């Protein structure tokens, strides 16, 4: 891929993403939501989950890897629990609808816990928890991914990057949003490095022999963040978003890239908490604003200009891109503007 970058903006990208997905057979409602999630990532500098994924989504859609005529169903299993049956539809749409159900239950009974059964890849999951926080809720979301991480002490892939996202509302500003892979870096960062022909740090991944590599094209597996701690977290995610729902686990989770005509059958788990059932939304939001002020006032370490709260730099990047435009690899932009399906 090209190292040259072109400048775009959120609305142009949203339109190009949606048009390309629909060109490959994705229904408009699904394409609209997928485009929104992809733009959310690109405009915050998370390019590994934005435009760089477009050709993959387009090809999978064209080859039948998404169920474009699903029987979507929410099954409420208790006052605060439920399962959203995604029927292998587009993950971005399914995850959003499931989060809406979790928010609804949390508003009524204090807690909303929704497992999402059988879906496809849903992109940057920080998008979904932010939607909950914008409605005054605290939210946690996590999802499975295919086996591409060596367990601590091992040399063969077993778990996925299994991301976790958390969000909390604030009174006077955008929500706090924390979104991380349980690996040192997400697989999308490898794709981003490939798209820019750049080396990666030797702490990110290993090659086919289990040795550290700086070549993004030689990557065979990723490494868990903080060794055994990341390993434990990715197991937790796999249990809550896979085994808990009776879905494939660990090395049995389907591959993202091996056969684009097959459904993924992935799981996701949303937990939404209503602060009014514990103290109050106002009280919590005041605490969040005070926390942020205190963090900003914390003396920075050598080499840092300020202490930032998790996710703050994403919002700063979004503000910068609103002024300067969003950089997109030239060949990806050419693809988006072409009549080529995938």
């Amino acid at each position: 891929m090209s190292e040259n970058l072109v400048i775009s903006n959120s609305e142009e990208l949203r339109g190009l993403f949606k048009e390309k997905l629909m060109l490959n057979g994705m229904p408009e409602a699904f394409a609209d939501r997928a485009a929104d999630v992809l733009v959310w990532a690109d405009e915050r500098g998370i390019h590994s989950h934005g435009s760089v994924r477009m050709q993959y989504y387009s090809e999978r859609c064209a080859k039948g890897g998404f169920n474009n005529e699903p029987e979507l169903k929410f099954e409420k299993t208790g006052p605060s629990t439920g399962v959203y049956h995604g029927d292998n539809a587009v993950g971005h749409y399914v995850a959003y609808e499931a989060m809406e159900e979790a928010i609804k239950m949390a508003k009524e009974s204090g807690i909303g816990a929704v497992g999402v059964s059988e879906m496809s890849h849903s992109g940057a999951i920080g998008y979904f928890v932010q939607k909950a926080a914008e409605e005054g809720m605290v939210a946690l979301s996590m999802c499975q991914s295919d086996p591409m991480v060596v367990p601590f002490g091992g040399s063969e892939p077993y778990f996925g990057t299994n991301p976790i996202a958390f969000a909390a509302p604030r009174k006077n500003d955008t929500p706090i949003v924390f979104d991380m892979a349980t690996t040192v870096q997400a697989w999308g960062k490898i794709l981003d490095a490939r798209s820019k022909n750049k080396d990666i740090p030797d702490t990110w991944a290993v090659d086919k022999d289990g040795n550290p590599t700086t070549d993004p094209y030689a990557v065979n597996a990723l490494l868990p963040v903080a060794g055994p701690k990341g390993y434990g977290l990715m197991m937790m995610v796999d249990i809550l978003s896979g085994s808990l729902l009776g879905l494939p686990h660990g090395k049995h989770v389907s591959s993202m890239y091996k056969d684009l005509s097959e459904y993924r059958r992935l799981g996701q788990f949303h937990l939404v908490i209503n602060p009014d059932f514990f103290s109050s939304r106002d009280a919590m939001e005041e605490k969040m604003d005070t926390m942020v002020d205190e963090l900003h006032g914390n003396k920075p370490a050598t080499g840092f200009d300020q202490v930032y709260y998790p996710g703050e730099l994403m919002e700063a990047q979004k503000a910068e891109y609103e002024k300067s435009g969003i950089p997109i690899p030239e060949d990806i932009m050419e693809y988006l503007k072409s009549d080529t399906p995938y």
Side-chain angles (χ1 to χ4, degrees), residues 13 22 53 57 77 80 121 145-146 148 151 167 179 208 226 235 268 271 291-292 320 342:
L13 282 178
M22 291 180 67
R53 300 273 186 169
Y57 288 133
T77 58
S80 300
H121 189 263
S145 60
D146 43 322
M148 57 175 66
D179 186 350
K208 60 182 178 61
M235 177 184 286
Q268 193 157 334
L271 177 65
M291 179 189 294
V292 168
E320 179 60 33
Y342 64 86

Side-chain angles (χ1 to χ4, degrees), residues 308-326:
Y308 297 93
Y309 64 82
E312 186 173 9
L313 291 177
M314 292 194 310
E315 291 304 316
Q317 185 65 81
K318 180 175 181 289
E320 179 60 33
Y321 281 164
E322 286 173 353
K323 299 175 184 177
S324 64
I326 303 171

Side-chain angles (χ1 to χ4, degrees), residues 167-276:
R170 292 178 60 198
K171 185 180 292 293
N172 299 316
D173 213 323
T174 55
I176 293 172
V177 178
F178 175 58
D179 186 350
M180 63 165 277
T182 51
T183 47
V184 177
Q185 284 292 357
W187 179 254
K189 294 289 187 180
I190 306 298
L191 297 180
D192 192 42
R194 289 178 180 178
S195 74
K196 297 171 181 174
N197 291 316
K198 290 185 176 180
D199 286 344
I200 61 172
D202 64 4
T203 55
W204 285 14
V206 294
D207 61 20
K208 60 182 178 61
D209 298 316
N211 297 316
T213 182
T214 60
D215 181 358
Y217 292 97
V219 171
N220 182 56
L222 302 176
L223 290 167
V225 64
K229 296 179 182 179
Y231 172 42
L233 285 173
M234 64 182 60
M235 177 184 286
M236 178 193 76
V237 171
D238 192 75
I239 291 169
L240 289 175
S241 59
S243 300
L244 183 66
L245 297 165
L247 297 174
H249 67 277
K251 68 178 182 179
H252 306 286
V253 175
S254 64
S255 170
M256 188 167 184
Y257 298 100
K258 186 175 181 180
D259 186 346
L260 300 190
S261 67
E262 288 189 353
Y263 292 158
R264 297 292 314 279
R265 297 190 63 210
L266 297 177
Q268 193 157 334
F269 183 76
H270 296 317
L271 177 65
V272 178
I273 303 169
N274 186 343
D276 284 332

Side-chain angles (χ1 to χ4, degrees), residues 30 45 48 82 130 140 176 234:
F30 295 174
S48 58
Q130 179 164 322
L140 182 69
I176 293 172
M234 64 182 60

Side-chain angles (χ1 to χ4, degrees), residues 19-71:
E19 183 178 344
K20 183 65 74 172
L21 293 170
M22 291 180 67
L23 178 64
N24 284 278
M26 188 176 290
E28 183 174 5
F30 295 174
D32 195 55
R33 183 60 61 193
D36 204 44
V37 179
L38 289 162
V39 169
W40 186 92
D42 262 331
E43 67 185 359
R44 287 167 174 76
I46 315 171
H47 300 298
S48 58
H49 286 67
S51 58
V52 73
R53 300 273 186 169
M54 271 301 302
Q55 192 161 4
Y56 162 76
Y57 288 133
S58 296
E59 185 174 357
R60 177 169 282 280
C61 188
K63 291 183 175 180
F66 297 133
N67 185 354
N68 286 328
E69 297 181 351
E71 293 184 14

